[in-house]
Amino acid sequence: KSKKHPEFKEKYHRIKTRRGHKKAIIAVCKMLLTAIWNILNKLEPYTPEGFLEHRPVNESKVLTKAQALELLRKRGYTITDESPVIV
């Protein structure tokens, strides 16, 4: 919940959406332990630069028809084989 260090909150929310609360908590704990280890090992103050790197989004993601239909079903769409009738 810290506004001073948003990298922990961002990682928690990113993992929680995919894996759930418990896995997200464990991931943030691992992140904190790694940060503490590096602080003690290098004797330097904490800097969030390694955690705030932006990952490029893969814009050329290709889905098969089956994958696309399954994705739409998971998002709540109803798939039918009928063409819409335009009047």
Side-chain angles (χ1 to χ4, degrees):
K1 294 182 179 183
S2 173
K3 292 181 182 179
K4 188 175 180 183
H5 299 288
E7 62 272 13
F8 300 112
K9 180 172 66 171
E10 290 170 5
K11 181 157 184 115
Y12 170 79
H13 287 293
R14 191 172 58 242
I15 294 175
K16 183 183 175 203
T17 57
R18 293 187 325 243
R19 308 269 173 138
H21 171 72
K22 290 182 181 180
K23 299 265 184 181
I25 291 293
I26 297 300
V28 171
C29 288
K30 182 180 183 244
M31 186 177 170
L32 285 169
L33 284 173
T34 304
I36 292 168
W37 171 259
N38 287 325
I39 290 168
L40 295 175
N41 200 18
K42 297 178 183 177
L43 298 175
E44 297 175 353
Y46 171 74
T47 56
E49 281 121 20
F51 298 113
L52 294 178
E53 63 189 33
H54 295 287
R55 296 182 184 108
V57 176
N58 187 1
E59 296 291 334
S60 63
K61 188 171 185 179
V62 178
L63 297 174
T64 63
K65 287 181 184 179
Q67 290 171 330
L69 291 173
E70 185 61 30
L71 180 65
L72 289 172
R73 281 189 194 102
K74 284 182 180 178
R75 293 190 179 179
Y77 290 92
T78 304
I79 310 296
T80 61
D81 291 335
E82 302 168 7
S83 298
V85 178
I86 300 174
V87 181

Coordinates of all heavy atoms in Angstrom, one line a residue:
K1 N 0.8 -1.2 0.0 CA 0.0 0.0 0.0 C 0.9 1.3 0.0 O 0.3 2.4 0.0 CB -0.9 0.0 1.2 CG -2.0 -1.1 1.2 CD -2.9 -1.0 2.4 CE -3.9 -2.1 2.3 NZ -4.8 -2.0 3.4
S2 N 2.1 1.1 0.0 CA 3.1 2.2 0.1 C 3.0 3.1 -1.2 O 3.2 2.5 -2.3 CB 4.5 1.7 0.3 OG 5.4 2.8 0.3
K3 N 2.8 4.4 -1.0 CA 2.9 5.3 -2.2 C 4.3 5.6 -2.5 O 4.7 6.1 -3.6 CB 2.1 6.5 -1.9 CG 0.6 6.3 -1.8 CD -0.2 7.5 -1.6 CE -1.7 7.2 -1.4 NZ -2.5 8.3 -1.2
K4 N 5.2 5.4 -1.5 CA 6.6 5.7 -1.7 C 7.3 4.7 -2.6 O 8.2 5.0 -3.3 CB 7.3 5.8 -0.3 CG 8.7 6.3 -0.3 CD 9.2 6.4 1.1 CE 10.7 6.9 1.1 NZ 11.2 7.0 2.5
H5 N 6.9 3.4 -2.5 CA 7.5 2.4 -3.3 C 6.4 1.6 -4.1 O 5.9 0.5 -3.7 CB 8.3 1.4 -2.5 CG 9.4 2.0 -1.7 ND1 10.5 2.4 -2.4 CD2 9.6 2.4 -0.4 CE1 11.4 3.0 -1.5 NE2 10.8 2.9 -0.3
P6 N 5.9 2.1 -5.2 CA 4.8 1.5 -6.0 C 5.2 0.2 -6.7 O 4.3 -0.5 -7.1 CB 4.4 2.6 -7.0 CG 5.7 3.3 -7.2 CD 6.4 3.4 -5.9
E7 N 6.5 -0.1 -6.8 CA 6.9 -1.3 -7.5 C 6.4 -2.6 -6.8 O 6.0 -3.5 -7.5 CB 8.4 -1.4 -7.6 CG 9.2 -1.5 -6.4 CD 9.5 -0.1 -5.8 OE1 9.0 0.9 -6.2 OE2 10.4 -0.1 -4.9
F8 N 6.2 -2.6 -5.5 CA 5.7 -3.8 -4.8 C 4.2 -3.9 -5.1 O 3.7 -5.0 -5.3 CB 6.0 -3.7 -3.3 CG 7.4 -3.6 -3.0 CD1 8.0 -2.4 -2.4 CD2 8.3 -4.6 -3.2 CE1 9.3 -2.3 -2.1 CE2 9.6 -4.6 -2.9 CZ 10.2 -3.4 -2.4
K9 N 3.5 -2.8 -5.0 CA 2.1 -2.8 -5.3 C 1.8 -3.2 -6.7 O 0.9 -4.0 -7.0 CB 1.5 -1.4 -5.0 CG 0.0 -1.3 -5.2 CD -0.6 0.0 -4.8 CE -0.1 1.1 -5.6 NZ -0.7 2.4 -5.3
E10 N 2.5 -2.7 -7.7 CA 2.3 -3.1 -9.1 C 2.6 -4.6 -9.3 O 1.8 -5.2 -10.0 CB 3.2 -2.2 -9.9 CG 2.9 -0.8 -10.0 CD 3.9 0.1 -10.7 OE1 4.9 -0.5 -11.2 OE2 3.7 1.3 -10.7
K11 N 3.6 -5.1 -8.7 CA 3.9 -6.5 -8.9 C 2.8 -7.4 -8.3 O 2.4 -8.3 -8.9 CB 5.3 -6.9 -8.3 CG 5.6 -8.3 -8.4 CD 7.1 -8.6 -8.3 CE 7.3 -10.0 -8.6 NZ 8.1 -10.2 -9.8
Y12 N 2.3 -7.0 -7.1 CA 1.3 -7.7 -6.4 C 0.0 -7.7 -7.3 O -0.6 -8.8 -7.6 CB 0.9 -7.1 -5.1 CG -0.4 -7.6 -4.5 CD1 -0.3 -8.9 -3.9 CD2 -1.6 -7.0 -4.6 CE1 -1.5 -9.4 -3.3 CE2 -2.7 -7.5 -4.1 CZ -2.7 -8.7 -3.4 OH -3.8 -9.2 -2.9
H13 N -0.4 -6.6 -7.8 CA -1.6 -6.5 -8.7 C -1.4 -7.3 -10.0 O -2.4 -7.9 -10.5 CB -2.0 -5.1 -8.9 CG -2.6 -4.4 -7.7 ND1 -3.8 -4.8 -7.1 CD2 -2.2 -3.4 -6.9 CE1 -4.1 -4.1 -6.1 NE2 -3.1 -3.2 -5.9
R14 N -0.3 -7.2 -10.6 CA 0.0 -7.9 -11.8 C -0.1 -9.4 -11.6 O -0.7 -10.1 -12.5 CB 1.4 -7.5 -12.4 CG 1.6 -7.9 -13.8 CD 2.9 -7.3 -14.3 NE 4.1 -7.7 -13.5 CZ 4.9 -6.8 -12.9 NH1 4.6 -5.5 -13.0 NH2 5.9 -7.2 -12.2
I15 N 0.5 -9.9 -10.6 CA 0.4 -11.4 -10.3 C -0.9 -11.8 -9.8 O -1.4 -12.9 -10.1 CB 1.6 -11.8 -9.4 CG1 2.9 -11.5 -10.1 CG2 1.5 -13.2 -9.0 CD1 4.1 -11.8 -9.2
K16 N -1.6 -11.0 -9.0 CA -2.9 -11.4 -8.4 C -3.9 -11.6 -9.5 O -4.7 -12.5 -9.4 CB -3.4 -10.3 -7.5 CG -4.7 -10.6 -6.8 CD -5.2 -9.6 -6.0 CE -6.6 -10.0 -5.4 NZ -7.3 -8.8 -5.0
T17 N -3.9 -10.8 -10.6 CA -4.9 -11.0 -11.7 C -4.7 -12.3 -12.4 O -5.7 -12.9 -12.8 CB -4.8 -9.8 -12.7 OG1 -3.4 -9.8 -13.2 CG2 -5.1 -8.5 -12.1
R18 N -3.5 -12.8 -12.5 CA -3.2 -14.0 -13.2 C -3.3 -15.3 -12.3 O -3.8 -16.3 -12.6 CB -1.8 -14.0 -13.9 CG -1.7 -13.0 -15.0 CD -0.4 -13.2 -15.7 NE 0.7 -13.6 -14.7 CZ 1.8 -12.9 -14.5 NH1 1.9 -11.7 -15.1 NH2 2.7 -13.3 -13.6
R19 N -2.6 -15.1 -11.1 CA -2.4 -16.3 -10.2 C -3.2 -16.4 -8.9 O -3.3 -17.4 -8.3 CB -0.9 -16.4 -9.9 CG 0.0 -16.4 -11.1 CD 0.2 -17.7 -11.6 NE 1.0 -17.7 -12.9 CZ 1.9 -18.4 -13.1 NH1 2.3 -19.4 -12.3 NH2 2.5 -18.3 -14.3
G20 N -3.6 -15.2 -8.5 CA -4.4 -15.2 -7.2 C -3.6 -14.5 -6.1 O -2.4 -14.2 -6.2
H21 N -4.3 -14.3 -5.0 CA -3.8 -13.6 -3.8 C -2.6 -14.2 -3.2 O -1.5 -13.6 -3.0 CB -4.9 -13.4 -2.8 CG -4.4 -12.8 -1.5 ND1 -4.0 -11.5 -1.4 CD2 -4.2 -13.4 -0.3 CE1 -3.7 -11.3 -0.1 NE2 -3.8 -12.4 0.6
K22 N -2.7 -15.5 -2.9 CA -1.6 -16.2 -2.2 C -0.3 -16.2 -3.0 O 0.8 -15.9 -2.4 CB -2.0 -17.6 -1.8 CG -3.1 -17.7 -0.8 CD -3.4 -19.1 -0.4 CE -4.5 -19.2 0.6 NZ -4.9 -20.5 1.0
K23 N -0.4 -16.5 -4.2 CA 0.8 -16.5 -5.1 C 1.4 -15.1 -5.2 O 2.7 -15.0 -5.2 CB 0.5 -17.1 -6.5 CG 0.0 -18.5 -6.5 CD 1.1 -19.4 -6.7 CE 0.5 -20.8 -6.8 NZ 1.5 -21.8 -7.0
A24 N 0.6 -14.1 -5.2 CA 1.1 -12.7 -5.3 C 1.8 -12.3 -4.1 O 2.8 -11.7 -4.1 CB -0.1 -11.8 -5.6
I25 N 1.3 -12.7 -2.9 CA 1.9 -12.4 -1.6 C 3.3 -13.1 -1.6 O 4.3 -12.4 -1.2 CB 1.0 -12.9 -0.5 CG1 -0.2 -12.0 -0.4 CG2 1.8 -12.8 0.9 CD1 0.0 -10.6 0.0
I26 N 3.4 -14.3 -2.0 CA 4.7 -15.0 -2.0 C 5.7 -14.3 -2.9 O 6.9 -14.2 -2.6 CB 4.5 -16.5 -2.3 CG1 3.6 -17.2 -1.3 CG2 5.8 -17.2 -2.5 CD1 4.2 -17.2 0.1
A27 N 5.2 -13.9 -4.1 CA 6.1 -13.2 -5.1 C 6.6 -11.9 -4.5 O 7.8 -11.6 -4.7 CB 5.3 -13.0 -6.4
V28 N 5.8 -11.2 -3.8 CA 6.2 -9.9 -3.2 C 7.2 -10.1 -2.1 O 8.1 -9.4 -1.9 CB 5.0 -9.0 -2.8 CG1 5.4 -7.8 -2.0 CG2 4.2 -8.6 -4.0
C29 N 6.9 -11.2 -1.3 CA 7.9 -11.5 -0.2 C 9.2 -11.9 -0.8 O 10.3 -11.5 -0.3 CB 7.3 -12.7 0.6 SG 5.9 -12.3 1.6
K30 N 9.2 -12.7 -1.9 CA 10.5 -13.0 -2.5 C 11.2 -11.8 -3.0 O 12.4 -11.6 -2.9 CB 10.3 -14.0 -3.7 CG 11.5 -14.4 -4.4 CD 11.3 -15.4 -5.5 CE 12.6 -15.8 -6.1 NZ 12.8 -15.4 -7.4
M31 N 10.4 -10.8 -3.6 CA 11.0 -9.6 -4.1 C 11.6 -8.8 -2.9 O 12.7 -8.2 -3.1 CB 9.9 -8.8 -4.7 CG 10.2 -7.5 -5.4 SD 8.7 -6.9 -6.2 CE 9.3 -5.3 -6.7
L32 N 10.9 -8.7 -1.8 CA 11.5 -8.0 -0.6 C 12.7 -8.7 -0.1 O 13.7 -8.0 0.3 CB 10.4 -8.0 0.5 CG 9.3 -7.0 0.3 CD1 8.2 -7.2 1.3 CD2 9.8 -5.6 0.4
L33 N 12.7 -10.0 0.0 CA 13.9 -10.8 0.5 C 15.1 -10.5 -0.4 O 16.2 -10.4 0.0 CB 13.6 -12.3 0.6 CG 12.8 -12.6 1.8 CD1 12.4 -14.1 1.7 CD2 13.5 -12.3 3.1
T34 N 14.9 -10.5 -1.7 CA 15.9 -10.3 -2.7 C 16.5 -8.8 -2.5 O 17.7 -8.6 -2.5 CB 15.4 -10.4 -4.1 OG1 14.9 -11.7 -4.3 CG2 16.5 -10.2 -5.1
A35 N 15.6 -7.9 -2.3 CA 16.0 -6.5 -2.1 C 16.8 -6.4 -0.8 O 17.9 -5.8 -0.7 CB 14.8 -5.6 -2.0
I36 N 16.4 -7.1 0.3 CA 17.1 -7.0 1.6 C 18.4 -7.7 1.4 O 19.5 -7.2 1.9 CB 16.2 -7.7 2.7 CG1 15.0 -6.9 3.0 CG2 17.0 -8.0 3.9 CD1 14.0 -7.6 3.8
W37 N 18.5 -8.8 0.7 CA 19.8 -9.5 0.5 C 20.8 -8.6 -0.2 O 21.9 -8.5 0.2 CB 19.5 -10.8 -0.3 CG 20.8 -11.4 -0.7 CD1 21.4 -11.4 -1.9 CD2 21.7 -12.2 0.1 NE1 22.6 -12.1 -2.0 CE2 22.8 -12.6 -0.7 CE3 21.7 -12.6 1.4 CZ2 23.9 -13.4 -0.2 CZ3 22.8 -13.4 1.9 CH2 23.8 -13.7 1.1
N38 N 20.3 -7.9 -1.2 CA 21.2 -7.1 -2.0 C 21.6 -5.9 -1.1 O 22.8 -5.4 -1.3 CB 20.5 -6.6 -3.3 CG 20.5 -7.7 -4.3 OD1 21.4 -8.5 -4.4 ND2 19.4 -7.8 -5.1
I39 N 20.8 -5.3 -0.3 CA 21.1 -4.2 0.6 C 22.2 -4.7 1.5 O 23.2 -4.0 1.7 CB 19.9 -3.7 1.3 CG1 18.9 -3.0 0.4 CG2 20.3 -2.8 2.5 CD1 17.6 -2.7 1.0
L40 N 22.0 -5.8 2.2 CA 23.0 -6.3 3.1 C 24.3 -6.8 2.5 O 25.4 -6.6 3.0 CB 22.4 -7.5 3.9 CG 21.2 -7.1 4.8 CD1 20.7 -8.3 5.5 CD2 21.6 -6.0 5.9
N41 N 24.2 -7.3 1.3 CA 25.4 -7.9 0.6 C 26.2 -6.7 0.0 O 27.5 -6.8 0.1 CB 24.9 -8.8 -0.5 CG 26.0 -9.8 -0.9 OD1 27.0 -9.9 -0.2 ND2 25.9 -10.4 -2.1
K42 N 25.6 -5.7 -0.6 CA 26.4 -4.7 -1.3 C 26.6 -3.5 -0.4 O 27.3 -2.6 -0.7 CB 25.6 -4.2 -2.5 CG 25.5 -5.3 -3.6 CD 24.6 -4.8 -4.7 CE 24.5 -5.9 -5.7 NZ 23.6 -5.5 -6.9
L43 N 25.9 -3.4 0.8 CA 26.0 -2.3 1.7 C 25.7 -1.0 1.0 O 26.3 0.0 1.2 CB 27.4 -2.2 2.3 CG 27.8 -3.5 3.2 CD1 29.2 -3.3 3.6 CD2 26.9 -3.6 4.4
E44 N 24.6 -1.0 0.2 CA 24.1 0.2 -0.5 C 22.6 0.4 -0.1 O 21.9 -0.6 0.2 CB 24.2 0.0 -2.0 CG 25.7 -0.1 -2.5 CD 25.7 -0.4 -4.0 OE1 24.6 -0.6 -4.6 OE2 26.8 -0.4 -4.5
P45 N 22.2 1.6 -0.1 CA 20.7 1.9 0.1 C 19.9 1.3 -1.0 O 20.3 1.0 -2.1 CB 20.6 3.4 0.2 CG 21.8 3.9 -0.5 CD 22.9 2.9 -0.4
Y46 N 18.6 1.0 -0.7 CA 17.7 0.4 -1.6 C 17.3 1.4 -2.7 O 17.1 2.6 -2.5 CB 16.4 0.1 -0.9 CG 15.3 -0.3 -1.8 CD1 15.3 -1.6 -2.4 CD2 14.2 0.5 -2.1 CE1 14.3 -2.0 -3.3 CE2 13.2 0.1 -3.0 CZ 13.2 -1.1 -3.6 OH 12.2 -1.5 -4.4
T47 N 17.4 0.9 -4.0 CA 16.9 1.7 -5.1 C 16.0 0.8 -6.0 O 16.3 -0.3 -6.2 CB 18.1 2.2 -6.0 OG1 18.9 1.0 -6.4 CG2 19.0 3.1 -5.3
P48 N 14.9 1.3 -6.4 CA 13.9 0.5 -7.1 C 14.2 0.4 -8.6 O 13.3 -0.1 -9.3 CB 12.6 1.2 -6.8 CG 13.0 2.6 -6.7 CD 14.3 2.6 -6.0
E49 N 15.3 0.9 -9.1 CA 15.5 0.9 -10.6 C 15.4 -0.5 -11.2 O 14.8 -0.6 -12.3 CB 16.9 1.5 -10.9 CG 17.0 2.9 -10.8 CD 18.0 3.4 -9.8 OE1 18.9 2.6 -9.5 OE2 17.9 4.5 -9.3
G50 N 15.9 -1.5 -10.6 CA 15.8 -2.9 -11.2 C 14.3 -3.4 -11.3 O 14.0 -4.2 -12.1
F51 N 13.5 -2.9 -10.4 CA 12.1 -3.3 -10.4 C 11.2 -2.5 -11.3 O 10.1 -2.9 -11.6 CB 11.5 -3.3 -9.0 CG 12.3 -4.2 -8.0 CD1 13.0 -3.7 -7.0 CD2 12.2 -5.6 -8.2 CE1 13.7 -4.5 -6.1 CE2 12.9 -6.4 -7.3 CZ 13.7 -5.9 -6.3
L52 N 11.6 -1.3 -11.7 CA 10.7 -0.4 -12.4 C 11.0 -0.4 -13.9 O 10.5 0.4 -14.6 CB 10.9 1.0 -11.9 CG 10.4 1.3 -10.5 CD1 10.7 2.7 -10.1 CD2 8.9 1.0 -10.3
E53 N 11.8 -1.4 -14.4 CA 12.1 -1.5 -15.8 C 10.8 -1.8 -16.6 O 10.0 -2.6 -16.1 CB 13.1 -2.5 -16.1 CG 12.7 -3.9 -15.8 CD 13.9 -4.9 -15.9 OE1 15.0 -4.5 -15.6 OE2 13.6 -6.0 -16.2
H54 N 10.6 -1.1 -17.7 CA 9.4 -1.4 -18.5 C 9.7 -2.5 -19.5 O 10.7 -2.6 -20.2 CB 9.0 -0.1 -19.3 CG 8.7 1.0 -18.4 ND1 7.4 1.1 -17.7 CD2 9.3 2.2 -18.0 CE1 7.4 2.2 -17.0 NE2 8.5 2.8 -17.1
R55 N 8.7 -3.4 -19.5 CA 8.8 -4.5 -20.4 C 8.1 -4.2 -21.7 O 6.9 -3.8 -21.6 CB 8.2 -5.8 -19.7 CG 9.0 -6.2 -18.5 CD 8.4 -7.4 -17.9 NE 9.1 -7.7 -16.7 CZ 8.6 -7.6 -15.5 NH1 7.4 -7.2 -15.3 NH2 9.3 -7.9 -14.4
P56 N 8.7 -4.4 -22.8 CA 8.0 -4.1 -24.1 C 6.8 -5.1 -24.3 O 6.9 -6.3 -24.0 CB 9.1 -4.3 -25.1 CG 10.1 -5.2 -24.5 CD 10.0 -4.9 -23.0
V57 N 5.8 -4.6 -24.8 CA 4.6 -5.4 -25.1 C 4.8 -6.0 -26.5 O 5.1 -5.4 -27.5 CB 3.3 -4.6 -25.1 CG1 2.1 -5.4 -25.5 CG2 3.1 -4.0 -23.7
N58 N 4.5 -7.3 -26.6 CA 4.6 -8.0 -27.9 C 3.4 -7.7 -28.7 O 2.3 -8.3 -28.5 CB 4.8 -9.5 -27.7 CG 5.1 -10.3 -29.0 OD1 5.2 -9.7 -30.0 ND2 5.3 -11.6 -28.9
E59 N 3.5 -6.8 -29.7 CA 2.3 -6.4 -30.5 C 2.0 -7.5 -31.5 O 0.9 -7.5 -32.0 CB 2.6 -5.1 -31.1 CG 2.8 -3.9 -30.2 CD 1.5 -3.5 -29.5 OE1 0.4 -3.8 -30.0 OE2 1.6 -3.0 -28.3
S60 N 2.9 -8.4 -31.9 CA 2.6 -9.3 -32.9 C 2.2 -10.7 -32.4 O 2.6 -11.7 -33.0 CB 3.9 -9.5 -33.8 OG 4.9 -10.0 -33.0
K61 N 1.4 -10.7 -31.4 CA 0.9 -11.9 -30.9 C -0.2 -12.5 -31.8 O -1.1 -11.8 -32.2 CB 0.3 -11.7 -29.5 CG -0.1 -13.0 -28.8 CD -0.5 -12.7 -27.3 CE -0.7 -14.0 -26.6 NZ -1.0 -13.7 -25.2
V62 N 0.0 -13.8 -32.1 CA -0.9 -14.4 -33.1 C -1.7 -15.5 -32.4 O -1.1 -16.3 -31.6 CB -0.1 -15.0 -34.3 CG1 -1.0 -15.8 -35.2 CG2 0.7 -13.9 -35.0
L63 N -3.0 -15.5 -32.5 CA -3.8 -16.6 -31.9 C -4.5 -17.4 -33.0 O -4.8 -16.9 -34.1 CB -5.0 -15.9 -31.1 CG -4.6 -15.1 -29.9 CD1 -5.8 -14.4 -29.3 CD2 -3.9 -15.9 -28.9
T64 N -4.7 -18.7 -32.7 CA -5.4 -19.5 -33.6 C -6.9 -19.3 -33.4 O -7.3 -18.6 -32.4 CB -5.1 -21.0 -33.3 OG1 -5.6 -21.3 -32.0 CG2 -3.6 -21.4 -33.4
K65 N -7.7 -19.8 -34.3 CA -9.2 -19.5 -34.1 C -9.7 -20.1 -32.8 O -10.5 -19.5 -32.1 CB -9.9 -20.2 -35.3 CG -9.7 -19.4 -36.6 CD -10.5 -20.1 -37.7 CE -10.3 -19.4 -39.0 NZ -11.0 -20.0 -40.1
A66 N -9.2 -21.3 -32.5 CA -9.6 -22.0 -31.2 C -9.2 -21.1 -30.0 O -10.0 -21.0 -29.1 CB -9.0 -23.4 -31.1
Q67 N -8.0 -20.6 -30.0 CA -7.5 -19.8 -28.9 C -8.4 -18.5 -28.8 O -8.7 -18.1 -27.7 CB -6.1 -19.4 -29.1 CG -5.1 -20.6 -28.9 CD -3.7 -20.3 -29.2 OE1 -3.5 -19.4 -30.1 NE2 -2.8 -20.9 -28.6
A68 N -8.6 -17.9 -29.9 CA -9.4 -16.6 -29.9 C -10.8 -16.9 -29.4 O -11.4 -16.1 -28.6 CB -9.4 -16.0 -31.3
L69 N -11.5 -18.0 -29.9 CA -12.8 -18.3 -29.4 C -12.8 -18.6 -27.9 O -13.7 -18.2 -27.2 CB -13.4 -19.5 -30.2 CG -13.7 -19.2 -31.7 CD1 -14.1 -20.5 -32.4 CD2 -14.8 -18.2 -31.8
E70 N -11.8 -19.3 -27.4 CA -11.7 -19.6 -26.0 C -11.6 -18.4 -25.2 O -12.1 -18.2 -24.1 CB -10.6 -20.6 -25.7 CG -10.5 -21.1 -24.3 CD -11.8 -21.8 -23.8 OE1 -12.4 -22.5 -24.7 OE2 -12.1 -21.7 -22.6
L71 N -10.8 -17.4 -25.7 CA -10.5 -16.2 -25.0 C -11.8 -15.4 -24.9 O -12.2 -14.8 -23.9 CB -9.5 -15.3 -25.7 CG -9.1 -14.0 -25.2 CD1 -8.5 -14.1 -23.8 CD2 -8.2 -13.2 -26.1
L72 N -12.6 -15.3 -26.0 CA -13.9 -14.6 -26.0 C -14.9 -15.3 -25.0 O -15.6 -14.6 -24.3 CB -14.5 -14.6 -27.4 CG -13.7 -13.7 -28.4 CD1 -14.3 -13.8 -29.8 CD2 -13.9 -12.2 -28.0
R73 N -14.9 -16.6 -25.0 CA -15.8 -17.3 -24.1 C -15.4 -17.0 -22.6 O -16.3 -16.8 -21.8 CB -15.7 -18.9 -24.3 CG -16.5 -19.4 -25.5 CD -16.5 -20.9 -25.5 NE -17.0 -21.3 -26.8 CZ -16.2 -21.8 -27.8 NH1 -14.9 -21.9 -27.6 NH2 -16.7 -22.1 -28.9
K74 N -14.1 -17.0 -22.3 CA -13.7 -16.6 -20.9 C -14.1 -15.2 -20.6 O -14.3 -14.9 -19.4 CB -12.2 -16.8 -20.8 CG -11.8 -18.2 -20.7 CD -10.3 -18.3 -20.5 CE -9.8 -19.7 -20.4 NZ -8.3 -19.8 -20.3
R75 N -14.2 -14.3 -21.5 CA -14.6 -12.9 -21.3 C -16.1 -12.7 -21.3 O -16.5 -11.6 -21.1 CB -13.9 -12.0 -22.3 CG -12.4 -12.0 -22.1 CD -11.7 -11.0 -22.9 NE -10.3 -11.0 -22.6 CZ -9.4 -10.2 -23.2 NH1 -9.8 -9.3 -24.0 NH2 -8.2 -10.3 -22.9
G76 N -16.9 -13.8 -21.4 CA -18.3 -13.7 -21.3 C -19.1 -13.6 -22.6 O -20.3 -13.5 -22.5
Y77 N -18.4 -13.7 -23.7 CA -19.2 -13.7 -25.0 C -19.8 -15.1 -25.3 O -19.2 -16.1 -25.0 CB -18.2 -13.3 -26.1 CG -17.8 -11.9 -26.1 CD1 -16.6 -11.5 -25.4 CD2 -18.6 -10.8 -26.7 CE1 -16.2 -10.2 -25.4 CE2 -18.2 -9.5 -26.6 CZ -17.0 -9.2 -26.0 OH -16.6 -7.9 -25.9
T78 N -20.9 -15.0 -26.0 CA -21.5 -16.3 -26.4 C -21.3 -16.4 -27.9 O -21.5 -15.5 -28.7 CB -23.1 -16.2 -26.2 OG1 -23.3 -16.0 -24.8 CG2 -23.7 -17.5 -26.6
I79 N -20.7 -17.6 -28.3 CA -20.3 -17.8 -29.7 C -21.3 -18.7 -30.3 O -21.7 -19.8 -29.8 CB -18.9 -18.5 -29.7 CG1 -17.9 -17.8 -28.9 CG2 -18.5 -18.7 -31.2 CD1 -17.6 -16.4 -29.3
T80 N -21.8 -18.2 -31.5 CA -22.8 -19.0 -32.3 C -22.2 -19.1 -33.7 O -21.4 -18.3 -34.1 CB -24.2 -18.4 -32.3 OG1 -24.1 -17.1 -32.9 CG2 -24.8 -18.3 -30.9
D81 N -22.7 -20.2 -34.4 CA -22.3 -20.3 -35.8 C -23.1 -19.6 -36.8 O -22.8 -19.5 -38.0 CB -22.3 -21.8 -36.2 CG -21.3 -22.6 -35.4 OD1 -20.3 -22.0 -35.0 OD2 -21.5 -23.8 -35.2
E82 N -24.2 -18.9 -36.3 CA -25.1 -18.2 -37.2 C -24.5 -16.8 -37.5 O -23.9 -16.2 -36.7 CB -26.4 -18.1 -36.6 CG -27.1 -19.4 -36.2 CD -28.3 -19.2 -35.3 OE1 -28.7 -18.1 -35.1 OE2 -28.8 -20.2 -34.8
S83 N -24.7 -16.4 -38.7 CA -24.4 -15.0 -39.1 C -25.4 -14.1 -38.7 O -26.6 -14.4 -38.7 CB -24.2 -14.9 -40.6 OG -23.2 -15.8 -41.1
P84 N -25.1 -12.9 -38.2 CA -26.1 -11.9 -37.8 C -26.9 -11.5 -39.1 O -26.4 -11.3 -40.2 CB -25.3 -10.7 -37.3 CG -23.9 -10.9 -37.8 CD -23.7 -12.3 -38.1
V85 N -28.2 -11.3 -38.8 CA -29.1 -10.9 -39.9 C -29.2 -9.4 -39.9 O -29.6 -8.8 -38.9 CB -30.5 -11.5 -39.7 CG1 -31.5 -11.1 -40.8 CG2 -30.4 -13.1 -39.7
I86 N -28.9 -8.8 -41.0 CA -29.0 -7.3 -41.1 C -30.3 -7.0 -41.9 O -30.5 -7.5 -43.0 CB -27.8 -6.7 -41.9 CG1 -26.5 -7.1 -41.1 CG2 -28.0 -5.2 -42.0 CD1 -25.3 -6.7 -41.8
V87 N -31.2 -6.2 -41.3 CA -32.5 -5.9 -41.9 C -32.5 -4.5 -42.3 O -32.0 -3.6 -41.8 CB -33.6 -6.1 -40.9 CG1 -34.9 -5.8 -41.5 CG2 -33.6 -7.5 -40.3

